[in-house]
Amino acid sequence: MIQPPPEGVIRLAVETALAEDRAAEDVTTLAAVTPSLRGTARFLAKQDGVLAGLPVALEAFRVFDPTAGLAVHVQEGGRFAARSILAEVTCSVRAMLQAERVALNFLQRLCGTATHTRAFVDAVAGTGAVILDTRKTTPGLRDLEKYAVRCGGGTNHRRDLAAMAMIKDNHREALARAEMSLADGVAAIRQRTPGVAVEVEIDDLDQLEAALAARPEWILLDNMSNADMAEAVRRTHGRAKLEASGGVNLKSVRAIAETGVDAISVGALTHSAGSVDISLDLEF
């Protein structure tokens, strides 16, 4: 079972979205629908995809009707075909109509991320490389989007700036200005936050030996050619995990994986995924 984000994280995201939509002031539903009316509605897929987000959609209905329940037909992380019934929600019709747009917005977008991720995961199958997400997420929705990546078979990279240390190009410039070496920077991180993994970014093979000498757990190969990445794999010989990054797409990802890198980070999983077309059809 894929672990969803904490309930408090889901609740905050949903309440923020409902407030933005002024769902509690729905002038149509509050006037035209009697409070006692209950019904069932089906989440119907209009295209193929991978499921993510049912717990978030359900929370949108429960804000207005705590008794709302979900009959699940496709599990989180499962593939579905167009015209599939994904789940059925039963609750107050008022709650259903007030929360419909927000529930669908979350479900469609998270399914889009999961579906996009699964395409990358499938593209590298058999190579041993894992697909990582990045911090290029929608502000306020990081945990939900990283959950969708997991539903798609991807692996979450560092969640935030405190979860893992990463010395990137601008950090290297700052170290040089302070007359500190890369090894000095890694040592300072280990002294301040022992136990936290360290990654060093490089953009050419000339920087590899210095990076290896600093003994980080990971080295990020940024926008390097496939030939150079394969050479980095050969020279590293398991002394650090290697992550490929930069402009990765579905056409290029297989060849990158075949260089022998351990992981490939893809910002597009979250910043460029579309939405899957899903409708909510009310039935009584």
Side-chain angles (χ1 to χ4, degrees), residues 155-167:
T155 299
N156 295 150
H157 203 11
R158 62 172 182 165
R159 181 197 176 276
D160 50 51
L161 293 173
M164 179 180 181
M166 183 178 290
I167 298 178

Side-chain angles (χ1 to χ4, degrees), residues 196-283:
V196 171
V198 179
E199 183 164 17
V200 171
E201 177 186 277
I202 66 173
D203 52 31
D204 60 52
L205 289 172
D206 291 340
Q207 299 170 343
L208 180 60
E209 287 307 318
L212 286 168
R215 302 182 65 183
E217 284 78 9
W218 284 85
I219 295 176
L220 173 65
L221 310 177
D222 185 47
N223 284 294
M224 291 173 60
S225 70
N226 289 354
D228 281 355
M229 285 191 282
E231 178 62 15
V233 171
R234 187 188 70 78
R235 293 187 191 180
T236 299
H237 198 58
R239 287 181 285 170
K241 295 284 189 181
L242 296 179
E243 172 192 344
S245 182
V248 181
N249 56 52
L250 283 170
K251 292 182 179 180
S252 65
V253 70
R254 178 79 190 187
I256 294 171
E258 289 174 344
T259 66
V261 294
D262 299 285
I264 304 169
S265 56
V266 187
L269 301 185
T270 50
H271 73 58
S272 295
S275 294
V276 172
D277 192 2
I278 300 169
S279 65
L280 184 68
D281 300 336
L282 178 61
E283 298 183 341

Side-chain angles (χ1 to χ4, degrees), residues 99-184:
E100 175 182 5
R101 185 69 267 156
V102 165
L104 282 172
N105 282 351
F106 278 118
L107 187 61
Q108 290 174 318
R109 187 168 183 84
L110 295 179
C111 284
T113 296
T115 302
H116 199 43
T117 300
R118 183 64 59 82
F120 278 91
V121 171
D122 288 348
V124 303
T127 65
V130 299
I131 297 297
L132 303 177
D133 58 17
T134 71
R135 289 167 39 246
K136 297 175 182 176
T137 53
T138 306
L141 299 182
R142 177 168 297 173
D143 289 321
L144 301 187
E145 292 180 347
K146 282 183 171 284
Y147 166 65
V149 167
R150 297 196 299 275
C151 287
T155 299
N156 295 150
H157 203 11
R158 62 172 182 165
R159 181 197 176 276
D160 50 51
L161 293 173
M164 179 180 181
M166 183 178 290
I167 298 178
K168 303 187 75 173
D169 54 353
N170 287 333
H171 294 100
R172 294 172 70 105
E173 291 293 331
L175 286 169
R177 178 58 66 94
E179 298 184 346
M180 294 175 65
S181 69
L182 190 56
D184 290 335

